[in-house]
Amino acid sequence: MSSMKLFPDKCDGCEECVSSCPYNAVTMRDGWPVFGDACNLCGACAEACPSGAIERPAATASPAVDKTSYRDIWVFAEIRDGRPARVVLELLGEGRKLADQTGQNLYAVLVGYGLGTLPEELIAYGADRVFLAEHPALAVFRDEPYAAVLAAAVNQYRPSILLFGATATGRSLAPRLAARLRTGLTADCTGLDMDRDSGDLVQTRPAFGGNIMATIITPGRRPQMATVRPGVLKPLQRDDHPGARFSGRGEVVRLTISDDLLTARTMVLGFTAEETETVNLEEASIIVAGGRGLGSAGNFALVKELAGLLGGAVGASRAVVDEGWISYAHQIGQTGKTVAPRLYIACGISGAVQHLAGMQGAEIIVAINKNSEAPIFKAATFGLVGDVVQILKELVGQLKTG
Amino acid sequence: MQIIACIKQVPDTAEVRIDRETNTLIREGVPSIINPFDLNAVEEGLLLKERFGGTVTVISMGPPQVETALREALSLGVDQAVLLCDRAFAGADTLATSYTLAAGIKKIGAFDLILCGKQAIDGDTAQVGPEIAEWLDIPHLTYVRSIDEVFPAEPARASITVSRLVEGGYEQASASLPALLTVVREVNEPRLPSYRASLRARTQGITIWGVADLSADPEHIGIAGSPTRVSRIFVPEYDRQGQFFAGSPEDQAKALVAALRSAGLA
Ligand SMILES: Cc1cc2nc3c(=O)[nH]c(=O)nc-3n(C[C@H](O)[C@H](O)[C@H](O)COP(=O)(O)OP(=O)(O)OC[C@H]3O[C@@H](n4cnc5c(N)ncnc54)[C@H](O)[C@@H]3O)c2cc1C
Ligand SMILES: Nc1ncnc2c1ncn2[C@@H]1O[C@H](COP(=O)(O)O)[C@@H](O)[C@H]1O
C-alpha cells in the first residue's frame, strides 16, 4: 500500500501541503495533514513542505536497470516533405549540448525510404552518426513498423536517451514505443537538462493547462524518453565539414530490417492540405493571431493581411474558432496547437490561461488590446492599448508603404 | 459493435488560478469534470452504437469520487460503467495507467473499438491511448477528427477509415479492427444528458474492480510500475515586464514597426 509519508516530528502544521495539492487530496486533521483517496502520489506537497516533513514513497518493486550499460543520446529524425522536420534540427542542437556535457555521442535515427542525402544533412546539424532504416514498407510513417524498427535498434544499441519532436507523429509513435520498451516517456517538454550526479535527464514540461510546470525524471529505467515541443530549443548552425568538431566521423550505419518488423495494421490513404493555412503553425517563426476583440469575421481579414505582409502564419483564440471565423486547425492554446515562434502578435485576445499555455514560449509577444488590464499584457514584450481594428489598419498601411 | 470509451476525471483547469503570493494553485471551488476530449470519445461511441448497434462501455481508473464522472456518462446513454479503483493503482504515470486500463479492458471482454480523448487536460500527455493499444497489441490512430467509414461486420477484414488532424492538414487513414482511436474536439458535438437516461443512471450499478479482480502484474501498476517521477513542481512566471507604446494608434503602430524592423522581423 503506497501513500505519502509524513514525519510528524518535522511537521509544524503550516498547511502549505493542503494548498499545494492539485488533486485537493490533503486535509488537516488534529493539526496533521491527512492524504485522502484522491491522492495521486504526485509529490507536490512534499515539494511545497518548507520543513521537509513529507516524502513520496519510493518505488520498491520496480526493477531498476543497470544504467551504466546504456549510453548516448538518440534523436528520432522525423521527415516532413522530404526534409528533416525543423524540430529534429532543434533536438540535434540541444542533444549536441547534452552529449558534450556528459561525454556521450549524439546519434540520429532515420527511418523511411529513398532518403538520399538526408543522413549527411543530420550530420551537418550535429549528429555523430546516423542509424538508417530504409525499406519500401517504411516509406510512409505508420506507428507499428516504425515502433518495431526503433525497438529492435534500441535493444541492440542501448541508448540512454531517446528524443522525439512533440509533433503529431512523435506524440503517436513515442508512447507506443515507450510501452513496448517498458520505459518512461515525458510528453511535450519545454526544457532538457542533465543531472551530473545521477546521469538522469531532467525534463521540464507544463501541466494543468500551463498553470504549473513540472520537472520529471526517469530514475530507474532506460532509455529515458521524451517528446519535445517544437520551436523551444535552438538548432546549431549548419556545418558541412563537421569531422573535426564532432567525435564521430559522420558514419552512417544501416540497420537490418527483418520482415517481422514490418507488420502494420493501419494504412495511410491520403493527405489533404489545410487550404487556408499557408504556413505550418507549429513551425512558423511569425504568427499573427486574432481573438474575439476583432468583433467580426470581416475584421479578422486584417489579421490575415498583416500575417501576409510579415510572411507569417495565422492563429486564433478558441473564441473565434467557436464563432466560425476560422477553422479549428488555426486554434492556439491548450486545446489547440502549441506554438513557439520568434514573434507572436495577439490581436484582441484576452490572454486566458488556456490561450497562454499554447503561445507563451514565443520569443517576442506583441499584445494589442483596448483593455490595459487584459492578462495578455502580462505575457507581452510590447503592448499596444487601443482599438485593434484601427491599430491593425495602421500597421498594414505602414508596412505596405515600407 | 462493442465499444469502450476511456474517460478521466480531471480538475477543470479553466477554473484553476494561481495565488501569486504563495505561488500555489488555488483549488477552492475548482470543479472536477470529465476530461472534455473524453466527452467527444463517449459521443463518438454513442453515434457508432446508433448506427451499428452494440454497446458502449466507459472505463476509468481513479479514486472513488470518479463514480460521479461515470454516472454522468451513464446519463448520456452509455450502457455500462467500470471503475478501476484501488490504492495500489495510485501514483501511476502513463505507462502504469495504460497497463491498468488495458487489464480492465481485457476483463470487460471482446471489443471492436476503444475510444480515448486526444489528451487529458490535467497532464496533457496524450500518451495513455497509444500505450493502451500497445499493451493490448492492437493498432491505433491518433488525433481523429472524423470517422468516415466503418466495416464492422466482416470479422476477418473489419476496418475503420478516419481523417486525422496532423501538421499542415488532414491525413486519411484506416485501421483493422479491433483498434484504438484518440479523438479531437471537432470530431463531434457532445450531447447533453437525456432525462430518461439520467433517471436510469441514478440507480444503475457501476462495476468496481480492484487489483484482486484484474489479473494484473503488481510490478506494472501504481507507483512501482511508473518509471517516471515528478521531481519538482513550480509556477511559471508569465510576467515579462513588457513595454507599452504610448500615443495614438498611428504612433503606437509606428513604434511597433520600428521595433520589429530593428529585430529583423519586418
Ligand atoms: C477546457 C478549456 C480549454 C480551452 N482551450 C483553449 C485554447 O486552446 N485556446 C484558446 O484560445 N482558448 C481556449 N479556451 C478558452 C479560453 O478560456 C478563452 O475563453 C478564450 O481564449 C478567449 O478568447 P479571446 O481572447 O479571443 O476572447 P475574449 O476573452 O472575449 O477576449 C477578447 C479581448 O479582446 C479585447 N477587445 C474587445 N474589443 C476590442 C477592440 N475593439 N480593440 C481591442 N481589443 C478589444 C477585450 O478587451 C478582450 O481582452 C479554453 C477553455 C476551456 C474551458
Ligand atoms: N485514469 C484514466 N482513466 C481512464 N482513461 C484515462 C485515464 N487517463 C487517461 N485516460 C484516457 O487517455 C486519454 C489521454 O490521456 P493522457 O495521456 O493522460 O493525456 C484521455 O483522454 C482518456 O481517454
Side-chain angles (χ1 to χ4, degrees):
Chain A
M1 196 75 53
S2 28
S3 74
M4 297 301 296
K5 210 160 133 200
L6 179 74
F7 298 94
D9 49 321
K10 291 192 192 163
C11 174
D12 57 13
C14 73
E15 303 193 9
E16 281 289 321
C17 48
V18 176
S19 53
S20 73
C21 176
Y23 296 96
N24 223 346
V26 189
T27 48
M28 298 300 284
R29 196 180 301 152
D30 306 327
W32 308 107
V34 181
F35 309 99
D37 279 338
C39 172
N40 195 28
L41 305 177
C42 76
C45 54
E47 188 64 39
C49 177
S51 46
I54 304 174
E55 252 180 37
R56 195 171 185 264
T60 42
S62 170
V65 298
D66 173 16
K67 291 196 220 176
T68 58
S69 71
Y70 291 78
R71 55 174 286 120
D72 301 329
I73 301 173
W74 285 19
V75 169
F76 172 69
E78 177 179 345
I79 303 165
R80 181 124 15 100
D81 302 327
R83 312 248 331 127
R86 195 184 145 77
V87 64
V88 171
L89 309 183
E90 295 163 4
L91 289 172
L92 287 173
E94 182 74 9
R96 186 75 254 162
K97 224 176 1 181
L98 298 175
D100 291 343
Q101 271 172 25
T102 51
Q104 301 185 76
N105 297 305
L106 174 68
Y107 297 150
V109 201
L110 185 59
V111 185
Y113 187 62
L115 298 168
T117 57
L118 287 186
E120 287 72 45
E121 187 95 343
L122 297 168
I123 289 161
Y125 279 101
D128 291 313
R129 178 198 273 183
V130 176
F131 288 110
L132 185 61
E134 263 193 314
H135 192 284
L138 299 170
V140 179
F141 168 72
R142 288 180 296 170
D143 294 278
E144 290 174 276
Y146 272 55
V149 164
L150 287 171
V154 165
N155 288 329
Q156 185 178 353
Y157 292 98
R158 298 173 157 252
S160 173
I161 295 173
L162 188 48
L163 303 175
F164 296 77
T167 59
T169 293
R171 295 190 78 176
S172 186
L173 170 64
R176 180 126 210 158
L177 179 61
R180 183 164 303 193
L181 297 170
R182 308 280 192 264
T183 191
L185 172 63
T186 306
D188 208 19
C189 298
T190 54
L192 298 177
D193 217 334
M194 294 295 282
D195 184 312
R196 301 281 168 119
D197 300 330
S198 60
D200 291 339
L201 181 68
V202 179
Q203 310 158 109
T204 300
R205 66 178 308 263
F208 288 95
N211 284 294
I212 57 174
M213 303 292 289
T215 299
I216 293 172
I217 51 174
T218 308
R221 304 253 181 113
R222 292 294 181 265
Q224 307 163 83
M225 291 179 58
T227 63
V228 179
R229 204 173 263 196
V232 184
L233 306 175
K234 299 273 166 287
L236 291 175
Q237 285 282 14
R238 186 191 173 99
D239 179 354
D240 283 302
H241 304 285
R245 185 151 58 99
F246 302 141
S247 58
R249 246 154 275 129
E251 199 185 354
V252 178
V253 178
R254 275 190 184 270
L255 298 168
T256 37
I257 301 159
S258 56
D259 282 347
D260 59 313
L261 299 180
L262 298 173
T263 323
R265 290 165 290 184
T266 61
M267 252 188 316
V268 176
L269 308 170
F271 177 79
T272 314
E274 162 78 35
E275 63 297 329
T276 54
E277 203 172 27
T278 46
V279 193
N280 178 2
L281 269 176
E282 278 101 334
E283 296 191 345
S285 62
I286 297 179
I287 294 173
V288 185
R292 186 148 52 195
L294 285 155
S296 70
N299 288 339
F300 199 87
L302 284 166
V303 168
K304 295 183 182 167
E305 196 175 358
L306 179 59
L309 285 168
L310 293 170
V314 176
S317 73
R318 176 165 144 196
V320 312
V321 171
D322 288 349
E323 295 280 351
W325 298 351
I326 194 162
S327 73
Y328 172 71
H330 294 262
Q331 182 175 319
I332 292 181
Q334 188 197 332
T335 44
K337 291 185 169 160
T338 300
V339 297
R342 281 200 62 204
L343 172 64
Y344 190 93
I345 306 185
C347 311
I349 292 176
S350 61
V353 287
Q354 296 84 14
H355 190 79
L356 292 177
M359 43 65 80
Q360 38 79 22
E363 199 175 308
I364 298 176
I365 295 174
V366 176
I368 310 174
N369 198 303
K370 68 173 183 191
N371 172 9
S372 64
E373 298 292 314
I376 189 75
F377 286 121
K378 280 253 178 225
T381 325
F382 299 119
L384 290 77
V385 180
D387 179 51
V388 65
V389 174
Q390 267 186 9
I391 291 176
L392 278 175
K393 282 185 178 153
E394 278 296 336
L395 286 170
V396 165
Q398 291 182 23
L399 286 167
K400 269 187 182 159
T401 55
Chain B
M1 284 183 94
Q2 304 303 315
I3 298 160
I4 294 172
C6 300
I7 67 172
K8 185 176 190 189
Q9 189 179 50
V10 294
D12 186 350
T13 55
E15 303 288 327
V16 173
R17 295 278 176 278
I18 301 293
D19 181 337
R20 286 285 162 197
E21 305 252 290
T22 59
N23 260 1
T24 49
L25 292 177
I26 306 172
R27 333 145 269 97
E28 265 92 61
V30 175
S32 286
I33 55 170
I34 297 180
N35 181 39
F37 298 105
D38 301 355
L39 285 175
N40 296 102
V42 170
E43 176 66 27
E44 204 56 27
L46 293 170
L47 292 173
L48 289 171
K49 178 190 162 180
E50 282 162 16
R51 276 171 65 193
F52 300 104
T55 62
V56 179
T57 302
V58 286
I59 185 168
S60 189
M61 182 192 87
Q65 55 263 41
V66 174
E67 264 203 60
T68 8
L70 291 172
R71 227 164 264 295
E72 188 183 334
L74 287 171
S75 75
L76 298 171
V78 311
D79 301 280
Q80 198 192 159
V82 176
L83 176 59
L84 308 179
C85 185
D86 199 307
R87 277 310 293 163
F89 298 146
D93 70 1
T94 62
L95 187 68
T97 301
S98 58
Y99 174 82
T100 309
L101 287 168
I105 289 168
K106 276 187 198 153
K107 189 173 164 91
I108 291 171
F111 60 86
D112 300 291
L113 190 64
I114 300 173
L115 294 162
C116 286
K118 166 195 152 193
Q119 64 194 45
I121 61 166
D122 53 354
D124 291 326
T125 83
Q127 290 172 184
V128 167
E131 290 185 336
I132 292 174
E134 176 62 25
W135 286 111
L136 292 172
D137 189 21
I138 58 171
H140 80 268
L141 293 168
T142 48
Y143 305 108
V144 170
R145 65 187 275 272
S146 66
I147 292 182
D148 302 328
E149 285 178 277
V150 187
F151 304 102
E154 307 159 66
R157 294 204 322 260
S159 69
I160 193 159
T161 303
V162 306
S163 167
R164 303 176 56 222
L165 188 63
V166 299
E167 286 85 5
Y170 309 114
E171 181 185 276
Q172 289 79 45
S174 71
S176 66
L177 295 178
L180 181 145
L181 308 179
T182 77
V183 299
V184 298
R185 273 186 96 86
E186 65 179 301
V187 73
N188 57 41
E189 192 57 52
R191 70 193 63 193
L192 296 171
S194 81
Y195 180 67
R196 266 185 51 209
S198 306
L199 276 187
R200 200 166 46 103
R202 249 183 262 164
T203 53
Q204 221 166 336
I206 287 176
T207 308
I208 298 178
W209 288 331
V211 105
D213 301 299
L214 305 180
S215 36
D217 182 342
E219 263 190 16
H220 289 315
I221 62 169
I223 200 164
S226 300
T228 61
R229 171 98 28 103
V230 177
S231 68
R232 194 163 89 91
I233 287 180
F234 57 100
V235 175
E237 227 0 290
Y238 283 126
D239 199 342
R240 294 198 184 203
Q241 309 280 355
Q243 172 192 356
F244 279 104
F245 295 129
S248 66
E250 189 187 343
D251 296 340
Q252 294 190 52
K254 265 191 191 138
L256 178 61
V257 169
L260 295 184
R261 289 215 166 112
S262 73
L265 288 163

